[in-house]
């Protein structure tokens, strides 16, 4: 089986320190978190950034300073995967903007969902616009799928020639308002992917650990981190992103699945 790529979603856009004391928010905190996650086995950092007030931002300068801090803190540079999802409600033009910095990867959301009490909007027009920006800045996409129909959306975009390989897919399961993180849902999604796609899974909240364990046995990759889940166990807050990464790396090693370094992940993802 291919080595396991662990992605750490370290910050997200929906949380703050009042909800999660361990959440890295400043560039320095994000750099420290990224370093600890790489040391624990992560090869990809899914990156949202914040402004000086700690609010979610898609501004280039805030991405720049986070990247700079991470570069300084990490002797082995992880793959940085910028978020083009941003915070719920953010306009598509602002979400696309960080692609101008040509990160190695960025997220590409494949459809509209309810997101708690809000709506996370990703129309086909948004996706076409996003794809054009990925192409013009030479950025590799990670496709985010939150619902069963999102595999059909991917197939439609492929058929229309809007997107082209590689198709790295992340199933983000358990968002309130979208598909729950049941193993049967994961199996459906895996079975319906284009044959040349690779996949990973990000279970939200209580789904994080069981989906991670299933994915690593099924040959998929895994995303964990405080963006997705703030608990280590029921009623026990996670103390850091690295704590969540280390557990997955430990389980992977126990079951004989090697964990990819950032360089190995670059090869696997054809970056
Ligand atoms: N913050 C969510 C509304 C992404 O990073 O691409 C969207 C999100 C997805 O986090
Ligand atoms: Zn995100």
């Amino acid at each position: 089986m291919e080595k396991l790529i662990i992605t750490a979603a370290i910050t997200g856009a929906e949380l703050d320190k009042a909800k999660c004391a361990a959440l890295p928010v400043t560039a320095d905190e994000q750099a420290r978190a990224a370093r600890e996650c790489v040391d624990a086995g992560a090869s990809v950092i899914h990156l949202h950034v914040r402004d000086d007030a700690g609010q979610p931002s898609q501004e280039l300068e805030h991405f720049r300073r986070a990247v700079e801090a991470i570069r300084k803190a990490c002797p082995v540079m992880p793959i940085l995967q910028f978020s083009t999802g941003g915070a719920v409600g953010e306009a598509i033009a602002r979400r696309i903007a960080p692609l101008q910095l040509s990160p190695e990867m960025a997220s590409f959301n494949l459809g509209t969902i309810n997101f708690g009490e809000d709506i996370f909007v990703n129309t086909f027009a948004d996706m076409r616009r996003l794809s054009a920006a990925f192409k013009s800045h030479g950025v590799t996409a990670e496709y985010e799928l939150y619902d069963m129909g999102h595999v059909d959306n991917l197939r439609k975009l492929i058929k229309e020639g809007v997107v082209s390989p590689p198709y790295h897919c992340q199933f983000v399961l358990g968002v309130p308002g979208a598909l729950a993180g049941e193993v049967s849902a994961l199996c459906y999604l895996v079975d319906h992917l284009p044959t040349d796609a690779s996949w990973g899974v990000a279970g939200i909240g209580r789904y994080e650990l069981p989906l991670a364990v299933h994915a690593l046995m099924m040959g998929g990759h895994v995303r964990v981190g405080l963006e997705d889940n703030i608990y280590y166990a029921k009623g026990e807050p996670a103390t850091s992103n690295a704590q969540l990464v280390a557990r997955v790396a430990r389980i992977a090693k126990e079951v004989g699945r090697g964990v990819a370094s950032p360089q190995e992940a670059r090869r696997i993802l054809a970056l």
Side-chain angles (χ1 to χ4, degrees):
M1 220 181 262
E2 202 170 50
K3 282 194 173 180
L4 174 70
I5 298 173
I6 303 177
T7 297
I10 59 174
T11 301
E14 275 69 40
L15 290 171
D16 56 26
K17 282 191 190 284
K19 290 193 194 113
C20 174
L23 192 76
V25 169
T26 67
D28 284 346
E29 288 170 348
Q30 290 191 305
R32 214 170 311 124
R35 166 72 192 261
E36 290 169 4
C37 286
V38 173
D39 289 348
S43 45
V44 180
I45 303 293
H46 172 75
L47 190 66
H48 290 254
V49 298
R50 302 293 174 103
D51 65 15
D52 293 341
Q55 295 302 309
S57 166
Q58 292 295 110
E59 296 291 330
L60 296 192
E61 60 174 303
H62 299 141
F63 272 96
R64 262 196 210 104
R65 76 180 174 190
V67 171
E68 196 50 37
I70 292 170
R71 210 180 285 288
K72 276 196 190 127
C74 295
V76 179
M77 189 62 179
I79 296 163
L80 295 185
Q81 181 193 92
F82 286 13
S83 171
T84 68
V88 74
E90 187 75 271
I92 192 70
R94 293 171 64 82
R95 286 167 47 186
I96 287 174
L99 294 178
Q100 292 169 56
L101 299 180
S102 295
E104 281 188 284
M105 284 191 104
S107 61
F108 185 122
N109 292 275
L110 272 178
T112 297
I113 52 165
N114 287 325
F115 195 91
E117 295 299 316
D118 299 312
I119 302 177
F120 181 37
V121 177
N122 295 285
T123 65
F124 282 113
D126 293 340
M127 293 184 243
R128 290 187 192 102
R129 191 166 162 189
L130 199 54
S131 182
F134 270 82
K135 283 180 186 154
S136 68
H137 297 292
V139 182
T140 298
E142 178 186 89
Y143 297 95
E144 315 293 321
L145 296 87
Y146 303 80
D147 230 326
M148 282 179 175
H150 292 180
V151 278
D152 302 291
N153 293 356
L154 176 60
R155 287 177 177 283
K156 174 179 160 73
L157 294 179
I158 293 170
K159 200 168 164 195
E160 286 179 2
V162 173
V163 299
S164 45
Y167 306 120
H168 300 304
C169 296
Q170 188 75 262
F171 306 126
V172 184
L173 302 183
V175 172
L179 185 61
E182 304 298 338
V183 175
S184 54
L186 174 63
C187 293
Y188 175 93
L189 288 162
V190 172
D191 283 350
H192 288 78
L193 280 180
T195 48
D196 50 349
S198 65
W199 65 274
V201 69
I204 303 301
R206 67 190 169 86
Y207 295 114
E208 184 172 87
L209 182 59
L211 286 178
V213 172
H214 277 88
L216 70 89
M217 295 307 299
M218 289 164 67
H221 302 289
V222 171
R223 177 174 116 178
V224 293
L226 296 172
E227 172 173 348
D228 299 337
N229 167 43
I230 61 173
Y231 291 99
Y232 186 74
K234 193 170 180 187
E236 187 189 331
T239 54
S240 67
N241 280 288
Q243 184 192 31
L244 299 168
V245 171
R247 172 166 58 186
V248 173
R250 221 164 38 235
I251 298 169
K253 282 174 195 146
E254 283 293 327
V255 298
R257 180 120 188 241
V259 174
S261 67
Q263 267 322 99
E264 289 168 332
R266 284 185 178 92
R267 270 199 299 280
I268 294 168
L269 296 169
L271 297 179

